[in-house]
Structures are given as structure tokens and as C-alpha cells.
Amino acid sequence: DTAVSQTPKYLVTQMGNDKSIKCEQNLGHDTMYWYKQDSKKFLKIMFSYNNKELIINETVPNRFSPKSPDKAHLNLHINSLELGDSAVYFCASSLGANTEAFFGQGTRLTVV
Amino acid sequence: DQQVKQNSPSLSVQEGRISILNCDYTNSMFDYFLWYKKYPAEGPTFLISISSIKDKNEDGRFTVFLNKSAKHLSLHIVPSQPGDSAVYFCAASGYDYKLSFGAGTTVTVRA
């Protein structure tokens, strides 16, 4: 069983569209994250949720809206997609602060 | 502002030899450090971690060393194997529910 799974793995869409990426973890973790890996390969935190509550929003444009319906799920919705949003987005989960995070396989988003 | 730096973008090592990856950090509030391994088209996989109260942690072929005064950590892989060829990321946390990552070092293990 995959510990952290996200769908879709690849997403190609046009500028201006709205899209969602889904993430689920079966590890029983309380904390979930979205990270973005840009073209320079840096991995940067976008959001962190602990027990369904948003605890980190790292100056991400408000076109990005995370939603956590329960502790096992953290979805990412992106409105009005722009070319600069093209990147690989990783979902992750952990037991809490200062514990290792487990990552999903990533979603490669390409905006054309 | 990159608070975690991996200054060597790549490392080539012969199979059976030691691989040494280095990482420096600037934020003195960091107290938990991790190494991740990443294959193409996959997510990062956790390798090993170390708390700031320790200076060494070992797990099989992997050992992480922490030098707090120098704000430096390193990962030793002994012996290196072909399956170790991947990108290795150093990461740090300051008990704030986020990991700050370095830019990664691509390791190539030659047969």
C-alpha cells in the first residue's frame, strides 16, 4: 500500500484554467504538507496542516487554496493557472514537528 | 534566502568507496536535520535524521555527522553501491512544521 499517494501524476492544462491535485495518506499522521519543486529543483514548503488546521502558509498566491476534509487528505486547488505555476508539487505527511516527512510521488503540472 | 546549502551539485564515486555529502545551514534555530534520497519521477525518500543533541547517527551504510558550532552536517555512505545513484537533499527543521531543503547533490556511483 502506498503511504502517501497523490493524483494525478501528470497534469497539462491551459493558462487560466482551474485544477485540483488530491493527496491521501494512510500513515495515521496528524500533519500534511504541500511542497513545490521549481525549475531550479528547490523544494519549498507551501502549506502545512496539522489536524486539519492550517498552520503554515508560506506567502503563496491566494490562487492556491488547500483543503483538508480530514486528517488523511489534503487537496490543493489552483485557480487561474499561470505559466509560472508549472512545477512539480509534492504532498507529504508526518507525525508532527521535527519528525521525518514522507512524500508522495509528485504531480508534474505543466501550464501551456 | 537559502538557509540550507549544498554547495556541491554533483559527486561521482567508485562502487565500494565512500561517498561524502556536505550541507551547511545558517539558521541557528534549526534543531533537527534530515537527509532524503530522490530518484527521477519519484518523491523524496527519507534516509536518516539527527537531532541537535547528537553529533552522529548511524543506520547501516549511512552515517550523518552534525557539527553545530560550524553549522555543518555531512552524510557518509559506505560502501557506495550503484543503487545509491540519486539526488540527495539535506533538510532542516526548527520545530515549526516545515522542512527547509538544500538544492540537492546528484550522486553517481561508477561500477
Side-chain angles (χ1 to χ4, degrees):
Chain A
D1 278 348
T2 305
V4 181
S5 60
Q6 53 183 109
T7 55
K9 184 165 184 177
Y10 299 98
L11 184 55
V12 181
T13 188
Q14 290 188 326
M15 276 195 307
N17 283 351
D18 303 339
K19 290 293 178 186
S20 293
I21 307 171
K22 295 186 176 181
C23 179
E24 176 181 5
Q25 55 97 0
N26 62 6
L27 297 168
H29 289 165
D30 288 337
T31 309
M32 295 188 72
Y33 312 82
W34 279 108
Y35 281 82
K36 178 181 179 180
Q37 186 177 34
D38 60 23
S39 56
K40 295 182 180 178
K41 306 300 182 187
F42 288 110
L43 271 161
K44 293 185 178 176
I45 183 82
M46 299 174 68
F47 301 103
S48 176
Y49 270 72
N50 188 52
N51 283 319
K52 301 194 299 175
E53 298 295 324
L54 179 67
I55 52 174
I56 291 176
N57 181 344
E58 201 74 356
T59 61
V60 177
N62 56 16
R63 297 183 297 103
F64 290 78
S65 53
K67 286 190 171 49
S68 182
D70 54 58
K71 284 198 320 183
H73 295 84
L74 180 62
N75 303 321
L76 182 65
H77 189 76
I78 316 169
N79 289 329
S80 303
L81 278 154
E82 301 177 357
L83 292 175
D85 297 332
S86 295
V88 182
Y89 293 85
F90 290 99
C91 177
S93 73
S94 71
L95 280 171
N98 273 28
T99 60
E100 57 267 27
F102 293 82
F103 285 78
Q105 63 182 5
T107 296
R108 180 174 292 278
L109 171 66
T110 304
V111 182
V112 296
Chain B
D1 180 30
Q2 280 296 109
Q3 299 183 70
V4 178
K5 298 178 183 178
Q6 294 175 255
N7 292 319
S8 297
S10 62
L11 172 69
S12 180
V13 63
Q14 195 161 9
E15 183 178 359
R17 298 289 185 96
I18 184 171
S19 293
I20 299 177
L21 291 81
N22 293 302
C23 177
D24 298 294
Y25 62 95
T26 57
N27 189 339
S28 57
M29 299 300 291
F30 287 151
D31 59 2
Y32 187 63
F33 305 88
L34 310 90
W35 285 94
Y36 283 84
K37 174 180 179 179
K38 185 181 181 304
Y39 293 119
E42 294 185 12
T45 302
F46 170 72
L47 267 181
I48 191 169
S49 63
I50 188 166
S51 161
S52 60
I53 62 172
K54 294 185 175 181
D55 53 19
K56 176 183 175 181
N57 189 25
E58 194 171 349
D59 184 1
R61 297 186 297 114
F62 302 93
T63 303
V64 56
F65 296 91
L66 176 62
N67 183 334
K68 289 190 294 291
S69 61
K71 294 191 176 69
H72 177 84
L73 64 155
S74 61
L75 174 68
H76 292 206
I77 307 173
V78 183
S80 299
Q81 299 174 353
D84 296 332
S85 295
V87 179
Y88 290 78
F89 289 96
C90 171
S93 173
Y95 213 87
D96 55 359
Y97 289 97
K98 65 180 178 181
L99 295 175
S100 296
F101 283 86
T105 297
T106 300
V107 172
T108 303
V109 180
R110 310 185 309 271

